[in-house]
Amino acid sequence: MNISKNMKNLILSLIILLMISSCSVENNYTEKSVSTVVIFSDEEKGQMKLYKIQIDGENIKEISFPDLPKEAEVEYYAWSSKNNKWFLSLTNNEGNEIYSLDADGRNLQRITHLPEIKKSQIVPSPSGKFIAFIGFSKGTDIFIVKLQNNEVIHLPFNNSNENAIGWTKDSQHVIFRSDLNGLPNIFMIDNNGENLKNLSNGPGVDGIFDISNQNNKIVFESDRDGKSDLFVTEIGDINYTNVTSNPSRDISPLWSPNDEYILFKSDRDGGEDLYLLDLENNNVSRLTFTPEIGELNPLWCPNSECILFNANQEGNQDIFKVTIDGELTNLTKSEANEISPQWWSYD
């Protein structure tokens, strides 16, 4: 079969176009595959610096913030993958405020105008439309900020202390722990500051909680059965299931991203270690074996196959990774104190 010269050129052009398209897709995939890294803070000299590192422990690099004022002290930070922005609580000689920065550390924007309130636990909403934070003045209160116009909603519950805040996955509600009713319970309120509800309803002390990623559920620690166990319920339901029911002290639950596991701390084998509850078969396995050392700030890997935390196993705090099968790796191995791992994911 004879093919004209023009037809040959057209076919050749199409082949080249397909090759370029293929390379473009491959490059985008490669770039996206490394866009989720671990960030952690380093407090070696009393100054907090942020670093990023690959999950395999390679390529530790300091994160640059060119527009961050040199005289400002970073009290707390949070990253929003939805906004592609940092939110930082900064203190200078004028007080403490929350600011935003772009992913490259530039374009500093002031969010709040409450210099007398010290702000921590900044939690961006999944929608990217709000942030919530704990404010410290005479006590602790919940604040919600609408990022469209930086309107601040202050929830000044009298004679109570609020902490441990989080968002429902639809960003319609803030969930928090408060002793508003006397003993600490878990509460929920709409993102406009209305319709306060007690989710856990006592009795006993209800502690740390976590909100499921896939389902409309909450897990929290409570001593309502006479000892500290973990309880699970649908958000808004009054029926609670004790999912650990062990004579030991089970605390600090954390849902896996796929909602198949709950990570928690327990002293059931002596000192405190990390344990994994497989919800499908109700099986508990031990992940760490250092009861004399605390595993702090645990964080699930996005694929639900591992957990990050910081611990002092070699004379200083390092960032560790443990798989759900119990394989432990020290990711940082430095003489500084690396703490508070988070995921840095951006579009």
Side-chain angles (χ1 to χ4, degrees), residues 11-23:
I11 293 173
L12 180 60
S13 298
L14 288 172
I15 292 173
I16 293 173
L17 181 60
L18 286 171
M19 291 175 64
I20 293 173
S21 176
S22 174
C23 291

Side-chain angles (χ1 to χ4, degrees), residues 82 91 120 193 234 269 284:
K82 188 69 174 181
T91 296
S120 72
E234 295 279 344
D269 292 306
V284 173

Side-chain angles (χ1 to χ4, degrees), residues 67-332:
D67 287 359
L68 191 65
K70 293 182 179 180
E71 71 279 4
E73 181 179 352
V74 179
E75 303 286 353
Y76 200 90
Y77 68 92
W79 168 256
S80 170
S81 58
K82 188 69 174 181
N83 303 79
N84 282 341
K85 287 184 180 293
W86 299 94
F87 293 97
L88 303 100
S89 171
L90 302 180
T91 296
N92 56 26
N93 56 8
E94 297 180 356
N96 178 260
E97 298 289 6
I98 292 178
Y99 293 80
S100 69
L101 277 169
D102 291 345
D104 61 1
R106 299 185 183 277
N107 189 28
L108 184 72
Q109 299 290 328
R110 186 173 177 177
I111 303 296
T112 61
H113 292 79
L114 301 166
E116 72 284 0
I117 304 293
K118 190 170 183 178
K119 306 158 190 73
S120 72
Q121 295 187 46
I122 305 169
V123 185
S125 68
S127 67
K129 296 181 179 180
F130 305 87
I131 60 172
F133 65 88
I134 299 291
F136 295 83
S137 182
K138 296 180 180 179
T140 58
D141 287 328
I142 301 291
F143 294 79
I144 301 171
V145 182
K146 298 180 180 179
L147 294 177
Q148 182 179 11
N149 55 10
N150 291 343
E151 177 188 353
V152 177
I153 300 173
H154 180 196
L155 309 178
F157 304 118
N158 295 327
N159 302 316
S160 65
N161 288 287
E162 287 69 46
N163 54 47
I165 56 176
W167 287 93
T168 54
K169 63 180 182 178
D170 60 5
S171 300
Q172 295 300 309
H173 314 281
V174 174
I175 297 180
F176 58 95
R177 181 175 183 253
S178 175
D179 59 3
L180 183 62
N181 287 356
L183 292 175
N185 283 167
I186 312 300
F187 291 83
M188 179 173 73
I189 198 166
D190 295 349
N191 59 24
N192 60 4
E194 298 178 356
N195 298 321
L196 179 68
K197 297 179 181 178
N198 189 334
L199 295 182
S200 60
N201 292 301
V205 175
D206 301 329
I208 300 299
F209 68 89
D210 193 33
I211 306 162
S212 65
N213 300 281
Q214 306 292 333
N215 302 303
N216 191 40
K217 292 184 178 181
I218 186 172
V219 59
F220 59 93
E221 63 182 61
S222 178
D223 64 359
R224 62 184 59 202
D225 285 352
K227 57 190 185 318
S228 184
D229 281 317
L230 304 184
F231 293 80
V232 171
T233 185
E234 295 279 344
I235 294 177
D237 199 346
I238 60 172
N239 298 310
Y240 312 97
T241 301
N242 187 333
V243 294
T244 53
S245 190
N246 190 280
S248 60
R249 182 172 176 263
D250 300 330
I251 60 171
S252 303
L254 196 62
W255 288 99
S256 63
N258 61 12
D259 283 356
E260 294 181 6
Y261 307 99
I262 294 177
L263 179 75
F264 65 98
K265 297 180 181 181
S266 179
D267 59 2
R268 58 181 63 195
D269 292 306
E272 190 174 280
D273 273 307
L274 293 179
Y275 290 78
L276 188 69
L277 170 62
D278 186 333
L279 291 168
E280 182 177 0
N281 56 29
N282 200 33
N283 179 56
V284 173
S285 58
R286 186 178 181 183
L287 296 183
T288 59
F289 296 83
T290 52
E292 72 284 357
I293 297 173
E295 289 82 21
L296 307 176
N297 305 305
L299 173 74
W300 274 99
C301 299
N303 62 5
S304 300
E305 294 295 325
C306 61
I307 297 100
L308 305 180
F309 60 89
N310 61 274
N312 185 350
Q313 292 194 7
E314 301 175 7
N316 50 267
Q317 294 286 333
D318 284 319
I319 305 297
F320 290 85
K321 176 182 74 174
V322 62
T323 68
I324 58 175
D325 296 323
E327 181 181 347
L328 184 68
T329 305
N330 186 336
L331 297 181
T332 52

